[in-house]
Amino acid sequence: MAHTHNVTEFIFLGLSPSQEVQKVCFVIFLLLYTAVVLGNGLIVITVMTSSSLGSPMYFFLSCLSFVEICYSSTTAPKLISDLLAEKKAISLWGCLTQLFFIHFFGGIETFLLTVMAYDRYVAICKPLNYTTIMNRRVCAVLVGLAWVGGSVHSLAQILLIVHLPFCGPNVINHYFCDVLPLLKLACSDTFLIGLLIVANGGTLSVISFVVLLASYVVILLHLRTRSSEGRRKALSTCGAHITVVTLFFGPCIFIYLRPSTTLSVDKLVAVFYTVITPLLNPVIYSLRNTEVKKAVKRLWIRTVKLDGK
């Protein structure tokens, strides 16, 4: 491990070398991150305080929103502060810590989306047994397994990187620490490690995405036997889920399925799945779900009444 400490810090190039562009980006990303925290936080609070949102679907939605806040918080605060800094530096161990939590929360989100697809499958295809199958204990276990899965995925990624020798240079053409930019800086052959990263990250994303799409195809085929009103409600819910799944897995597959190549567009794609997607999730779910909109309205009315007393 001694030679890995030849580099003790890394320097980010950030999103743009232009100071004017960085100032504009600072305002934009500060607003976006604030919206991510407030939007997802509102969903968490609404689900926790609303008796009408007691079904497993909303429990999983609140868990997803909490993870989205954590996921975005692994990169956005550092990005925002660096946009005003002359030297965008991070220590070696700070870099590895950021890498761990990015993949930890990203892995949890991957498994949570799979759990949410299973929940919709049971609700639509086995409605009479739904409350028995998706009881509170099962829901808690599924969420716990998602966190375990995220831990295993993240530990695998960090173990692949932590023993690599970094002798210099130490400039990362990105705005956060991730496996592919770090592979480019390693002073050793990283071909095998790159393949293992594909197996752990890229393949996991592809398999999860295919399984999720297949489950929704089964659901849609099952809906042919439902009434028009039943189909409309189920399609609205599934449509929101499919949109979120596509927005999350599309960029992840693009990034992590090619271990030996980094492109200039990678930073823009990373902005999409670390900031934009967490921002869009509460918008997609709330705008397409009448119950969530009603619960948010009731929460707002209660808050206003309390402030007026």
Side-chain angles (χ1 to χ4, degrees):
M1 286 291 291
H3 58 297
T4 65
H5 292 285
N6 290 347
V7 170
T8 58
E9 70 173 11
F10 294 103
I11 307 297
F12 295 130
L13 291 184
L15 294 176
S16 172
S18 169
Q19 291 293 326
E20 294 303 315
V21 172
Q22 289 186 50
K23 291 177 182 178
V24 173
C25 287
F26 170 81
V27 176
I28 292 173
F29 283 102
L30 180 61
L31 292 174
L32 288 175
Y33 178 61
T34 302
V36 168
V37 174
L38 293 179
N40 285 285
L42 178 61
I43 287 184
V44 173
I45 294 171
T46 301
V47 172
M48 290 177 62
T49 58
S50 177
S51 58
S52 64
L53 302 181
S55 71
M57 180 179 74
Y58 299 115
F59 170 67
F60 294 134
L61 175 58
S62 67
C63 292
L64 178 66
S65 293
F66 175 73
V67 170
E68 292 285 29
I69 294 173
C70 297
Y71 185 49
S72 187
S73 296
T74 59
T75 58
K78 175 65 175 170
L79 166 63
I80 292 167
S81 63
D82 280 349
L83 287 169
L84 297 182
E86 292 186 12
K87 184 180 180 182
K88 303 169 176 58
I90 188 171
S91 67
L92 171 63
W93 293 108
C95 180
L96 294 176
T97 300
Q98 186 182 55
L99 174 66
F100 172 83
F101 282 108
I102 288 170
H103 287 274
F104 175 56
F105 291 115
I108 293 172
E109 181 164 354
T110 298
F111 293 114
L112 268 180
L113 289 172
T114 306
V115 167
M116 292 174 76
Y118 174 70
D119 172 69
R120 289 300 84 204
Y121 166 77
V122 176
I124 294 171
C125 299
K126 300 181 179 181
L128 298 179
N129 299 321
Y130 179 64
T131 55
T132 303
I133 296 173
M134 300 301 293
N135 57 61
R136 288 189 176 184
R137 182 174 178 275
V138 170
C139 292
V141 169
L142 289 174
V143 170
L145 289 174
W147 282 73
V148 171
S151 300
V152 172
H153 164 70
S154 187
L155 284 172
Q157 294 288 69
I158 204 75
L159 289 174
L160 291 172
I161 296 295
V162 71
H163 293 296
L164 288 176
F166 296 105
C167 319
N170 67 336
V171 178
I172 298 177
N173 186 20
H174 215 304
Y175 66 91
F176 66 88
C177 289
D178 205 359
V179 286
L180 302 186
L182 288 175
L183 283 182
K184 291 189 67 176
L185 298 181
C187 311
S188 63
D189 182 16
T190 58
F191 177 75
L192 178 59
I193 292 178
L195 292 180
L196 293 173
I197 286 172
V198 166
N200 183 37
T203 305
L204 174 65
S205 297
V206 171
I207 293 174
S208 299
F209 185 58
V210 171
V211 168
L212 285 166
L213 288 184
S215 68
Y216 284 119
V217 169
V218 172
I219 291 172
L220 293 174
L221 290 174
H222 185 82
L223 287 175
R224 292 183 301 177
T225 61
R226 292 289 189 89
S227 64
S228 58
E229 178 64 19
R231 281 200 302 269
R232 187 191 65 79
K233 291 181 67 176
L235 284 172
S236 178
T237 302
C238 290
H241 288 195
I242 293 171
T243 302
V244 169
V245 165
T246 304
L247 289 174
F248 178 73
F249 282 102
C252 289
I253 291 170
F254 176 79
I255 293 290
Y256 295 111
L257 207 57
R258 42 182 182 81
S260 58
T261 310
T262 56
L263 304 175
S264 56
V265 74
D266 285 356
K267 285 188 280 189
L268 295 178
V269 175
V271 166
F272 192 84
Y273 68 79
T274 59
V275 179
I276 304 300
T277 300
L279 172 65
L280 292 178
N281 281 358
V283 175
I284 292 168
Y285 282 113
S286 61
L287 289 180
R288 296 180 67 94
N289 191 293
T290 304
E291 287 300 318
V292 172
K293 287 189 287 187
K294 289 180 178 177
V296 170
K297 186 177 180 179
R298 286 194 296 269
L299 177 64
W300 174 256
I301 291 172
R302 288 201 305 268
T303 304
V304 171
K305 287 181 176 179
L306 287 174
D307 288 341
K309 289 183 179 180

